[in-house]
Amino acid sequence: MHTTLPTVIVLAAGRSERFRAASGGQDKLHAPLGRGSVREHTLAAVQASGLPWHVVEAAHTAHMDQPGMGDSIATGVRACAQAAGWLILPADLPLVQPATLRAVAQALANHVVVQPVYQGQRGHPVGFAATCGPALMALSGDQGARAVLQTYAPYALPVDDAGCILDVDTPEALEAARRLLAQSL
């Protein structure tokens, strides 16, 4: 079934090696943040956006030898191949705003690739129109969608959302997310 809205692909299959090494083995997606975990906050924003969504879990890429972000993206896009496009969102961006997801989705009506930009920094989710499907499904390794971004220069969508650039890759970034979340409550 072909949907008229792009699907948010939440990437939750990573090994979190940098965070685990710096935090004594803790999984960043299950790290406590406010009243939930990093993962729960990210999924709550996705659900609040009203867009269709799909989560790529470690079990979806477990059959691969050394799966990377490219493999996760390809797996998610293949699972939702009939979507009108895809918003690629790593699960470690717990403060991304639902409005940012909707804005990227809306901008895909006029652009092939859309990337939110907050105060000059490129963030997530990166939106890809359906024409990018074959290229996204061919991705593998740790480079993510870099090759697709080199083919289609992304439209830089200005947003007022620090959450689109605050990925929780280190314990320090988790503390920054906790401070930002506390300020917003």
Side-chain angles (χ1 to χ4, degrees):
M1 181 173 99
H2 196 78
T3 64
T4 58
L5 294 172
T7 297
V8 181
I9 304 294
V10 181
L11 304 177
R15 296 179 298 273
S16 308
E17 291 169 343
R18 192 165 45 151
F19 191 92
R20 283 184 194 275
S23 68
Q26 183 178 28
D27 181 328
K28 67 181 173 181
L29 297 184
H30 294 102
L33 179 64
R35 294 183 179 177
S37 67
V38 168
R39 176 190 171 107
E40 289 167 339
H41 278 273
T42 304
L43 291 178
V46 171
Q47 291 169 343
S49 76
L51 296 168
W53 52 280
H54 175 79
V55 180
V56 178
E57 305 282 3
H60 298 138
T61 58
H63 65 284
M64 299 174 182
D65 184 39
Q66 300 292 321
M69 185 178 286
D71 299 296
S72 293
I73 293 169
T75 298
V77 171
R78 275 194 297 272
C80 306
Q82 298 304 314
W86 304 273
L87 275 61
I88 306 301
L89 179 64
D92 66 353
L93 279 100
L95 302 182
V96 69
Q97 298 297 309
T100 297
L101 297 167
R102 288 189 296 269
V104 171
Q106 290 168 349
L108 276 178
N110 299 311
H111 304 280
V112 176
V113 178
V114 176
Q115 188 165 31
V117 176
Y118 175 74
Q119 295 184 352
Q121 290 187 350
R122 293 184 175 274
H124 286 89
V126 179
F128 296 91
T131 57
C132 297
L136 292 171
M137 287 185 243
L139 294 173
S140 64
D142 281 329
Q143 294 301 307
R146 188 168 295 149
V148 182
L149 294 174
Q150 290 170 345
T151 301
Y152 302 99
Y155 168 71
L157 177 68
V159 296
D160 186 21
D161 178 8
C164 81
I165 60 168
L166 183 56
D167 58 337
V168 178
D169 273 348
T170 63
E172 295 78 18
L174 177 59
E175 284 307 313
R178 287 177 175 149
R179 286 191 302 275
L180 193 58
L181 181 62
Q183 291 172 4
S184 68
L185 297 179

